[in-house]
């Protein structure tokens, strides 16, 4: 058993865990299946009412896990009745046995929920390359179906059951109206290590009682992901298992909307985006070893995608991240990270701020720069690094955390 | 003064420093100019006989340092008479003042060596963004010219004067024959942090007495760099200052060769490549906080460039590097790094070795895999990670080091 199971809670954790309201048509239960951990829950079962529609986005890894392959295929028939998530074993790079484990999990879950196997969604997180013994789900999932509850305690337990090296559970909720009908959106996430753009969370599950056709749901999810999970990075490493699923039960009974750009959907879209951003930021705030939450904002780039690549180059730079950990306003490393991004940049037009303190302008140190003022910014738990390239109108914003000895400790001993 | 000036010597340092022979036409001197450090040398002056030709490769950073700009321009007239290097201040992102500092350095050096300013080559390493007071070279360089020596003590002192957070000096020497005439090649390098492909060393200088036209020299250097410095990475960060210069004095008086592919050049080319590889490996062995030297070998890729990108994805992965630091044969993270490279890969054809121990094959854990045997490999100071993709004939090999708490310590407190 790894000591990493009980690291101290991140200093960036929210002061209180939100109470999630029920989402009509969603019931949750957790269990201890003994996948890998002992003495903690490691299975989440979510029962979904008939009529639920799923959308999903996944890792861009060329070596995805068996559950990712399964979910991609299951989305071909977007009706969803069960979600099964386990922690402790990612069932990734497990070959034929991995595919068999997923198939067996689906059979057991379909039997428990009395639904077709194609309505089962599966996600796994934990070590890679170890066979997952899906027979451990036998009995467990049927029992979960019998016990599943819609209340806030069930949501809280759900967020805990999917944790691996996370130090706090990640939950968020929003409400919105679609053409006058109130709807609820609840989400949970787990992150911690192996977090990088191209789906930055390992796992996140979002549930709403809104009634929305699958193409609309998929479009809203993909769009929201681009501004949330794809803007967060911990270590630049991309998981084989990254999965974000959005389930809509339709129980709110709102008016049918067939176009994702329909203005009647704007409040729902805003609420969903906001929830995804909150969950993505929680992932960065629980980056392995994180002591500081870092916002990197880039303006004046030639285009938004160029700004995004420069922001990620800064946010992924080990030298920038260790400087933040050391509370060192080392803007020279920010220049380095801009330079290595390979995007259009003109050294002599660059300006750089830490918080509100401009430290560099026009290709050199700001003559008015106060080391004391910059140092005060760096001592805060939330640090903003801003770069203006002075070239155009492109902008981007990404979130990350610092790189500390805690990251090394956690990852130098994860499997032992 | 940073505590990083005196970190313990890397456990991967060579047992003994090589004695470098003289290179006809090359004389070296070092000095204490008080650029930033006190109580140690921080200036290297190399006097080069008339007739010396220079070639160079530089950082691909979009924000190069002022000395890099200078050297690129100086190569337009490849005659070289002086090289001036300082440590402690990189003169990068210093705007107009940086360009003025380079111009003043060139004037002082040209006066000292009685040569045109265009024959002066300049390199700087150290903090970014701080103005470099080039007036400190006044008197110092003329004194160096008067004291410069060709012997092994001068080479050893030269390698030391260019160090920043390096824990040991890096020197290498080779001999070869060009059409029967013996020639010598000496090289020095400094690295440590901010090391990544696209010119992985911060600074390296190579000297030979061979007589070679500039286009041949440049072609040999570019080709050798691709297989040496561009195959080494410490942290994926790319310096604003990376500079590799090759000077050929012509004093060996070998036969003229006009084509870099001339078979008479093969022994020289092999010796140069070998020397560049040795210097590049020394840089990885002195990566900040390094405890292990890691060779990443990729075979069976669709092409050599594809293999190279996959090898770098593995070598730059913080999760792979911390696993090596923790002596953990965590091949799941190698799969992750292959997957995130974005190159053609088929999960079910992958095979992975640590040393000679095959840990994974055909998309799953090797059934014959012995954790004990793999762990024994991981406990060695030199670890080889090999991946076969099973797709084609492409191969590549890169070198890196592990990621330890030492890296965080050094880089969290570099400027203070």
């Amino acid at each position: 058993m790894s000591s990493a199971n009980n690291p101290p809670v991140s200093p960036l954790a929210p002061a209180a865990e939100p109470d999630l309201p029920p989402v009509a048509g969603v019931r949750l239960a957790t269990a201890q299946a003994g996948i890998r951990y002992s003495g903690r829950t490691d299975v989440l079962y979510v029962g979904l009412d008939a009529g639920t529609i799923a959308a999903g986005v996944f890792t861009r890894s060329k070596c995805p896990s068996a559950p990712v392959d399964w979910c991609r295929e299951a989305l071909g028939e977007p009706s969803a009745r069960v979600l099964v998530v386990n922690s402790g074993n990612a069932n990734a790079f497990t070959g034929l046995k991995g595919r068999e484990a997923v198939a067996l999990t689906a059979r057991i879950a379909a039997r428990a929920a009395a639904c077709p196997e194609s309505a089962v969604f599966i996600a796994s997180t934990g070590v890679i390359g170890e066979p997952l013994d899906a027979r451990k789900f036998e009995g467990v999932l049927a029992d979960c179906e019998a016990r599943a509850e819609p209340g806030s305690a069930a949501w809280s337990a759900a967020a805990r059951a999917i944790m691996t090296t996370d130090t706090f559970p990640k939950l968020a909720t929003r409400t919105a109206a679609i053409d006058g009908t109130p709807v609820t959106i609840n989400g949970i996430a787990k992150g911690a290590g192996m977090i990088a753009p191209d789906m930055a969370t390992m796992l996140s599950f979002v549930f709403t009682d809104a009634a929305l056709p699958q193409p609309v749901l998929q479009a809203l999810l993909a769009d929201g992901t681009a501004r949330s999970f794809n803007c967060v990075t911990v270590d630049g490493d991309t998981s084989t298992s990254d999965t974000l699923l959005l389930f809509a039960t339709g129980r709110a009974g709102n008016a049918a909307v067939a176009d994702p750009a329909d203005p009647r959907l704007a409040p729902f879209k805003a609420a969903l985006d906001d929830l995804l951003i909150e969950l993505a930021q929680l992932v960065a705030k629980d980056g392995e070893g994180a002591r500081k939450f870092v916002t990197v904002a880039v303006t004046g780039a030639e285009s938004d995608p160029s700004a995004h690549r420069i922001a990620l180059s800064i946010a992924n730079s080990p030298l920038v991240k260790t400087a933040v950990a050391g509370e060192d306003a080392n803007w020279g490393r920010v220049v380095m990270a801009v330079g290595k991004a390979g995007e259009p940049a003109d050294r002599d037009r660059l300006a750089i701020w830490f918080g509100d303190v401009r430290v560099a302008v026009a290709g050199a140190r700001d003559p008015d720069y106060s080391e004391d003022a910059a140092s005060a910014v760096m001592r805060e738990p939330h640090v903003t690094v801003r770069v203006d390239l002075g070239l155009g109108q492109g902008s981007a914003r990404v979130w990350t955390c610092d790189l500390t000895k805690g990251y090394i400790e956690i990852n130098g001993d994860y499997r032992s």
Side-chain angles (χ1 to χ4, degrees), chain A:
Chain A
M1 188 62 48
S2 167
S3 61
N5 289 334
N6 294 303
V9 172
S10 166
L12 304 167
E17 181 186 322
D19 262 344
L20 265 51
V23 172
V26 179
R27 297 168 302 114
L28 311 96
T30 62
Q32 297 189 17
I35 300 293
R36 173 183 172 83
Y37 305 122
S38 60
R40 58 155 282 186
T41 55
D42 56 5
V43 173
L44 165 64
Y45 176 97
V46 186
L48 301 159
D49 276 10
T52 299
I53 299 294
V57 290
F58 303 93
T59 181
R60 289 184 195 151
S61 171
K62 300 283 181 178
C63 300
S65 68
V68 166
D69 285 347
W70 175 273
C71 286
R72 282 196 168 113
E73 187 151 341
L75 279 178
E77 211 291 75
S79 158
R81 295 296 308 282
V82 197
L83 168 68
V84 178
V85 188
N86 75 274
S87 57
N89 185 317
N91 192 17
F93 204 60
T94 41
L96 178 62
K97 276 187 195 157
R99 293 186 281 276
E100 288 170 352
V102 165
L104 178 56
T105 306
R107 272 202 302 281
I108 297 170
R111 218 160 46 226
C115 71
E117 288 171 21
S118 64
V120 177
F121 287 77
I122 298 170
S124 298
T125 173
V127 287
I128 301 178
E130 305 282 337
L132 171 68
D133 184 359
R135 291 171 302 180
K136 291 186 177 174
F137 295 126
E138 200 75 70
V140 169
L141 301 187
D143 179 61
C144 281
E145 164 62 29
R147 290 190 289 108
E149 296 275 356
S152 69
W155 287 100
S156 175
R160 284 178 162 74
I162 64 172
M163 287 165 58
T164 55
T165 56
D166 304 67
T167 72
F168 62 86
K170 297 166 189 68
L171 306 93
T173 184
R174 293 290 186 281
T175 54
I178 299 179
D179 202 22
T181 305
V183 301
T184 299
I185 315 172
N186 280 0
I188 61 175
K190 64 85 50 192
M194 223 184 269
I195 303 300
D198 300 347
M199 278 303 297
T201 188
M202 288 193 74
L203 301 180
S204 181
F205 309 104
V206 180
F207 305 85
T208 179
D209 52 358
L212 292 166
Q214 210 277 338
V216 171
L217 210 59
Q218 185 67 38
L220 293 176
L221 182 63
D223 192 60
T225 303
R227 278 190 305 282
S228 56
F229 286 108
N230 281 350
C231 295
V232 64
T233 178
V234 167
D235 54 16
D237 275 343
T238 298
S239 159
T240 55
S241 308
D242 295 332
T243 298
L244 168 54
L245 294 169
L246 169 57
F247 299 98
T249 66
R251 288 279 303 274
N254 52 276
V257 182
D259 176 2
D262 189 311
R264 289 174 298 167
L265 273 185
F268 178 84
K269 183 171 160 52
L272 176 65
D273 277 12
D274 207 44
L275 175 135
L276 293 174
I277 287 173
E278 179 175 346
L279 289 174
Q281 290 187 344
L282 287 174
V283 166
K285 287 175 179 173
D286 203 10
E288 287 170 340
R291 311 288 302 170
K292 295 191 187 277
F293 178 70
V294 183
T295 302
V296 178
V298 171
T299 55
E302 283 211 343
S303 67
D304 288 350
S306 177
H308 186 72
R309 283 189 286 269
I310 290 168
L312 285 177
S313 178
I314 297 167
N316 276 323
S317 159
L319 286 169
V320 171
K321 293 160 81 80
T322 48
V324 173
E327 303 189 338
D328 177 8
N330 193 323
W331 53 272
R333 295 184 184 173
V334 178
V335 177
M336 175 281 300
V338 171
K340 81 164 178 162
E343 292 296 317
D346 178 344
R347 185 183 57 197
D348 296 342
R349 294 189 191 194
L350 274 186
I352 299 170
W353 291 255
F354 288 110
D356 292 332
V357 180
R358 192 173 69 181
V359 293
V361 63
R365 185 166 61 179
D366 189 327
D368 299 327
Y369 157 53
S370 148
E371 180 87 30
D372 283 352
S375 292
V377 167
M378 301 308 287
R379 284 193 295 272
E380 296 292 323
H382 290 204
V383 174
T384 296
V385 180
R386 183 152 77 86
V387 174
D388 188 89
L389 293 157
L391 296 179
Q393 299 302 315
S395 68
R397 191 181 50 176
V398 306
W399 303 285
T400 189
C401 56
D402 56 346
L403 175 58
T404 70
K405 291 182 194 171
Y407 180 87
I408 311 287
E409 235 156 56
I410 293 165
N411 287 300
D413 192 37
Y414 180 69
R415 282 205 330 163
S416 57

